[in-house]
Amino acid sequence: MSSPPRAARASGTRLFAGYAVASLLPILVLGTVLAGGNRQDGIERGLGQGRAQAAVIEEMAIAPALEGNDLGRGLSRQESRRLREATDLAIYRGSVVRLLLRSFDGQVVFSDDGSVDDAVPASDPSFAAAARGSTDVRVTRMPHAQTGGQEGGGASMIRVLQPVIANASGRAVGVLELHLPFDEVAADVHAATERTYWRLGGGLAILYVVLALISWSTSRRLRAHAARSEYESLHDPLTGLPNRKLFEIRLEEYTRRQDAAAVVQVDLDRFKKVNDTLGHRAGDKLLCEVAARLRESLRAQDTVARLGGDEFGLLLPGVRTPAAARALLERAERALSAEILIDGVPLTMDASFGVAFHPRHAGDVEALLHCADSAMYHGKRGMRGTVVYHPSIAVSPSDNLSIQGDMRRAIDNDELRLHYQPIVDLATGEVTRLEALLRWQHPERGLLLPGDFLPAVEQTSLIAPMTDWVLRQALHDHVAWTSEGHPWAVAVNVSARNLDSQCLADSVLRLLEDSAVAASRLHLEVTETALAIDHGSVSASLDRLARHGIGMALDDFGVGYASLAHLRTLALSEVKIDRGFVAGLESSDQDREVVRSLIQLAHGLGLRVTAEGVETSVTALWLERSGCDSAQGYHFARPLPWRQLGEPAVRGRQGRPALTEANR
Ligand code: C2E
Ligand code: CA
Ligand code: CA
């Protein structure tokens, strides 16, 4: 499993930072409120102390000293003396800063320092409250003058105003005003507050760290979870490969950056059979093995993805030519085709590879995948292995439309050409016939081979005018080379689509008549595949043409669709052994065996045999020895305009090499 993507990590860090800030704020507020509350508690405590102290002084020192008269009437000498004696101690000890006795009209009648000029108005709210019988306690700042030069001038004091009840009369006679030192209380409060600050700070810091740890571990778990589910949503659970979604995301990056890359669609051949016969578990194992082999055979920078079922997708960065793609895919093909043992059953896997190039074939993800897909399906229909996308192989309706327009123009504008390849009689070494092979001199794409456009044209009705053009041109050329003394007959390829209708027979016969060429000089080549889809109309067409003396050859014989019983019923005169077998003659015992029996089989049915794709003299010799009648291939000549063939370099009987032991 890969490490979590960078984006997830970054968002995790942001999440954690958010948590940290968000939890810091309430903790700071909580700390401030708690500390503020604690300070207020300290002050309250100080005020309470002051109230108690005042009550004690009033009860123990003041009340006993008074004789019970209203203080407004002044103090007697006795009273003054007793008061001084009673209060001296408290003042002296410093537990009281200042002590005043006031009459109900606010005048000072007694003070600790003897001064009596500090009157307050009777209407002062605190004083009035005390005169009415309640106690008023508060913290004040004592003006310097009032402290009488004492230390702590201008400092905070606790001022208590409370009624004085004379013991002698038991009734309120005035108001006692006490100033008590607040410094001690303030220091206490300060110390307590400081302690609280520290404890609170420490506690909150621990709380904060714990919260942060919790949020960190939570966000880490969330991050891991997010990364895991992101991984799961982008990978195939069976093989662990990237899935279609991730494949498309990566491809999208390439298309955005305009980087060159090859996109390959891989489809396993016959996978369904394995699944059906060996079961799904075996199928799963096979898919895992295929995934591993694809991964191992490609480069580290290549992406191998499972697109679904038995389909895989490859993204090959920097690969821009068919040769480069083939070189890489050959490794993958080889790896896949090595035997795989599944539950003790040895299997071999083949796959079709469809290749499209970015940006050459398409610039966006969907179109690229479509191109690779059409190439892959094209491969499935015939050519095995790797097929590179080409516009002509796409069979989507819109592509067909453009091919249709193009082909019509090609016919009208004389862009079609015929090249010819000689067919040589192996016994005499003489060229007996030329096979017409169609070429398209495309104004933009250059000379196109049939593989580039035929599959698309075959899907449309344009196949008929195209075949007409080939027939007319081939007969025209035949007339020309005959007039120059060449004895060659001419062979023309026809598609399955041509045979489907009676039109072909009609136009062949009409064109023969127009050109005045004898029917026996024309051969038609029909692929075995075409005959496999016979609906009766095909054999009817063949019959009609054969009755007129036209030679009928079965093309690509051995590729394997027509049953023997079916072959007997058709009006054929010749079979052409597929070049796939001929190519293997020098190296494969099995191919030699197949070709030998194909020759015998055809001869048994009274058919002549031509071998296609003969590339070496050794092969030509082996074929001759095996009773093959004719041959064609690069060994004799490549397809060319007939005038350029000149005297084809026919190496028939002269200069024949000795057969080696191996291929005798
Ligand atoms: P085909 O009828 O089997 O034609 C032989 C193909 O093998 C030709 O390919 C030829 O160039 C190639 N070939 C010949 N000798 C050798 C050799 O020694 N080695 C190898 N490797 N290849 C050799 P080409 O011209 O690309 O044609 C491909 C196919 O297109 C033909 O296969 C034929 O089925 C079809 N085709 C060609 N012309 C026409 C046409 O006018 N009408 C129709 N319906 N099909 C055509
Ligand atoms: Ca042919
Ligand atoms: Ca052929």
Side-chain angles (χ1 to χ4, degrees), residues 555-556 578 612:
D555 214 343
D556 303 346
D578 188 65
E612 300 181 322

Side-chain angles (χ1 to χ4, degrees), residues 175-211:
V175 172
L176 169 67
E177 178 176 336
L178 272 181
H179 292 249
L180 305 170
F182 183 63
D183 285 349
E184 215 168 290
V185 177
D188 272 0
V189 169
H190 182 76
T193 307
E194 202 161 285
R195 267 198 310 280
T196 310
Y197 270 133
W198 280 113
R199 286 195 200 123
L200 202 61
L204 290 179
I206 291 171
L207 180 66
Y208 177 71
V209 168
V210 169
L211 274 180

Side-chain angles (χ1 to χ4, degrees), residues 311-623:
E311 266 183 38
F312 293 83
L314 314 178
L315 177 61
L316 314 175
V319 173
R320 54 187 92 221
T321 64
R326 286 213 165 85
L328 260 179
L329 294 177
E330 233 165 59
R331 297 210 315 245
E333 253 178 287
R334 246 198 327 262
L336 286 189
S337 61
E339 199 172 80
I340 300 177
L341 214 59
I342 300 285
D343 294 341
V345 181
L347 298 171
T348 53
M349 267 287 125
D350 287 315
S352 310
F353 296 78
V355 187
F357 293 106
H358 175 264
R360 176 144 50 102
H361 292 141
D364 69 277
V365 172
E366 199 186 342
L368 272 169
L369 286 173
H370 178 77
C371 291
D373 198 53
S374 349
M376 194 266 292
Y377 273 104
H378 199 68
K380 280 250 185 267
R381 279 207 309 268
M383 322 174 207
R384 226 149 315 125
T386 301
V387 176
V388 174
Y389 174 80
H390 192 283
S392 63
I393 67 173
V395 287
S396 76
S398 61
D399 287 336
N400 273 351
L401 274 181
S402 80
I403 284 277
Q404 245 180 41
D406 273 15
M407 178 48 85
R408 194 175 296 282
R409 193 202 58 214
I411 296 172
D412 294 345
N413 292 3
D414 204 21
E415 287 168 17
L416 299 181
R417 305 274 180 275
L418 284 185
H419 283 188
Y420 291 92
Q421 189 174 35
I423 295 171
V424 174
D425 185 309
L426 282 172
T428 64
E430 302 287 329
V431 175
T432 55
R433 201 190 314 152
L434 300 189
E435 180 182 359
L437 295 165
L438 183 57
R439 303 290 182 259
W440 180 353
Q441 188 63 55
H442 195 281
E444 286 128 35
R445 285 156 55 191
L447 191 70
L448 301 182
L449 295 177
D452 296 330
F453 57 87
L454 256 188
V457 175
E458 277 175 343
Q459 312 267 326
T460 77
S461 59
L462 272 174
I463 187 73
M466 190 201 84
T467 306
D468 273 5
W469 183 91
V470 174
L471 277 164
R472 189 176 292 112
Q473 186 63 42
L475 290 172
H476 177 269
D477 289 343
H478 179 270
V479 170
W481 69 59
T482 306
S483 73
E484 290 187 15
H486 298 293
W488 313 321
V490 67
V492 169
N493 292 282
V494 293
S495 292
R497 268 295 286 266
N498 294 133
L499 288 167
D500 238 4
S501 72
Q502 285 296 311
C503 302
L504 179 75
D506 289 341
S507 61
V508 168
L509 295 174
R510 198 186 61 244
L511 289 167
L512 273 174
E513 214 178 298
D514 290 355
S515 60
V517 172
S520 61
R521 305 306 290 154
L522 175 66
H523 286 241
L524 295 183
E525 297 191 2
V526 187
T527 59
E528 203 178 351
T529 342
L531 301 184
I533 53 163
D534 185 12
H535 323 293
S537 56
V538 172
S539 49
S541 298
L542 290 183
D543 272 352
R544 193 166 154 220
L545 292 165
R547 269 202 311 277
H548 281 86
I550 297 167
M552 300 297 295
L554 178 63
D555 214 343
D556 303 346
F557 182 49
V559 176
Y561 297 96
S563 77
L564 203 53
H566 186 53
L567 278 188
R568 294 175 79 113
T569 66
L570 295 172
L572 297 171
S573 51
E574 181 176 323
V575 293
K576 297 184 76 175
I577 296 176
D578 188 65
R579 66 170 183 275
F581 298 108
V582 176
L585 281 181
E586 281 183 44
S587 57
S588 156
D589 282 337
Q590 206 185 352
D591 281 358
R592 278 198 292 274
E593 235 10 89
V594 170
V595 170
R596 235 194 295 267
S597 44
L598 285 179
I599 293 171
Q600 276 166 16
L601 185 71
H603 283 165
L605 289 168
L607 304 173
R608 285 179 57 82
V609 181
T610 300
E612 300 181 322
V614 176
E615 295 188 350
T616 66
S617 54
V618 173
T619 301
L621 192 58
W622 186 92
L623 285 164

